[in-house]
Amino acid sequence: MTDQAAWAPTSFGARAHDYDRLRPGYPLEALTQALAALDAGPPGTALDIGCGTGKLAAALTTLGHEVTGIEPDQRMAQVASAGGLAVEAGPFETWEPGGRRFDLVACGQAWHWLRPGQRTQKAARCLGPAGRILLAWNFGSYALRNAPRLNEVYASVLPDGLPAGPGGRLSLSESDLDGYAEELRSHGFRHVTRTTVPWQTRLTSRQFCELLATESRHLALPETLRHRLLGEVAVFLDAEEGGEIRVDYTCLVVGAAAAR
């Protein structure tokens, strides 16, 4: 596994309940549009790769799919199981479907943790002949009245800035999705589509700081330093932003049909 893949399962689970409570879900509109663009049939069986606490699985279940999750982190899997999801523990790379084929293979916010090429080949093996794949991400931005001042808050606590993300990478960008789409095409997937749906939510200062604490670069900080930083951020939000922040999300879904 790459450094990124090895890092992810051992990090987010440390705050599994906060992750489940505060990380965004997936708008049904985005998933419905993505499936319609692929001329997908009626709801059927679905595999959620790296299901985490069950955010994407919950949306797919609402749409009528019978979802099985695969999750490498036991703490995340326990939260998902408590929510009613059938979860099989272990990394997708070594997990075996046992002869099962699914109508839909989905992955929310986790595809980039998996090894390129290998992930696509294995996903293809898990699909039936009329199967579809959906790869979904939420990209968020914060609507602040005084964004430069927040940067100053960070600089006062972390003069060298936040640590880089896993493998030295700061973050995933929307442009990375073009590469994922091309990877699907190169492995025989057909009718590759991209669906974009904007949405919003509002969080209190405390909720926003708890959300930041589930983000990879904040998790990489020593606990005492992270606590100090987010305490300063909360003070800033209370004083400068009225104790509330709007988060603007874009849900992006890359979809494709299985090779014939």
Side-chain angles (χ1 to χ4, degrees):
M1 298 173 68
T2 64
D3 289 344
Q4 289 194 72
W7 188 90
T10 60
S11 301
F12 296 120
R15 302 188 71 94
H17 288 282
D18 286 341
Y19 191 103
D20 186 58
R21 183 167 54 92
L22 294 163
R23 281 291 185 105
Y26 297 89
L28 297 182
E29 178 185 359
L31 302 179
T32 300
Q33 286 186 20
L35 289 167
L38 293 169
D39 293 322
T45 58
L47 176 68
D48 184 0
I49 301 170
C51 66
T53 62
K55 292 283 188 177
L56 181 56
L60 292 173
T61 298
T62 299
L63 293 177
H65 297 272
E66 181 185 343
V67 186
T68 298
I70 173 71
E71 170 55 42
D73 191 291
Q74 290 283 357
R75 296 161 296 184
M76 303 284 271
Q78 287 172 3
V79 174
S81 295
L85 178 64
V87 184
E88 298 180 14
F92 179 62
E93 293 88 342
T94 57
W95 172 83
E96 288 298 330
R100 289 171 291 178
R101 294 294 179 267
F102 297 86
D103 300 305
L104 177 68
V105 166
C107 185
Q109 220 77 22
W111 191 249
H112 52 287
W113 297 117
L114 304 173
R115 189 183 300 278
Q118 179 183 343
R119 59 193 174 192
T120 306
Q121 292 172 356
K122 189 158 188 178
R125 289 200 290 116
C126 295
L127 280 171
R132 302 290 189 268
I133 187 169
L134 290 183
L135 311 177
W137 288 268
N138 280 303
F139 292 89
S141 61
Y142 314 127
L144 295 170
R145 290 192 293 269
N146 194 353
R149 176 73 183 100
L150 179 60
N151 293 335
E152 293 173 8
V153 171
Y154 269 80
S156 69
V157 179
L158 300 173
D160 296 326
L162 280 169
R169 184 156 182 200
L170 287 175
S171 64
L172 180 75
S173 70
E174 294 183 23
S175 62
D176 290 311
L177 274 64
D178 293 333
Y180 302 145
E182 183 55 38
E183 182 182 330
L184 292 173
R185 292 189 188 96
S186 70
H187 286 81
F189 280 88
R190 303 172 294 113
H191 306 312
V192 179
T193 63
R194 181 163 167 169
T195 302
T196 302
V197 172
W199 62 286
Q200 295 179 349
T201 191
R202 302 194 74 88
L203 300 173
T204 66
S205 299
R206 178 177 176 180
Q207 288 172 330
F208 180 68
C209 289
E210 289 174 334
L211 174 63
L212 289 179
T214 71
E215 190 265 338
S216 60
R217 291 185 297 160
H218 290 83
L219 280 171
L221 293 170
E223 184 177 358
T224 54
L225 187 56
R226 182 172 64 247
H227 181 77
R228 178 187 164 200
L229 170 64
L230 295 181
E232 293 290 336
V233 171
V235 169
F236 160 78
L237 292 174
D238 287 340
E240 301 289 337
E241 302 292 331
E244 188 177 69
I245 184 171
R246 190 183 85 222
V247 186
D248 296 322
Y249 284 110
T250 300
C251 183
L252 290 169
V253 185
V254 174
R260 292 189 187 280

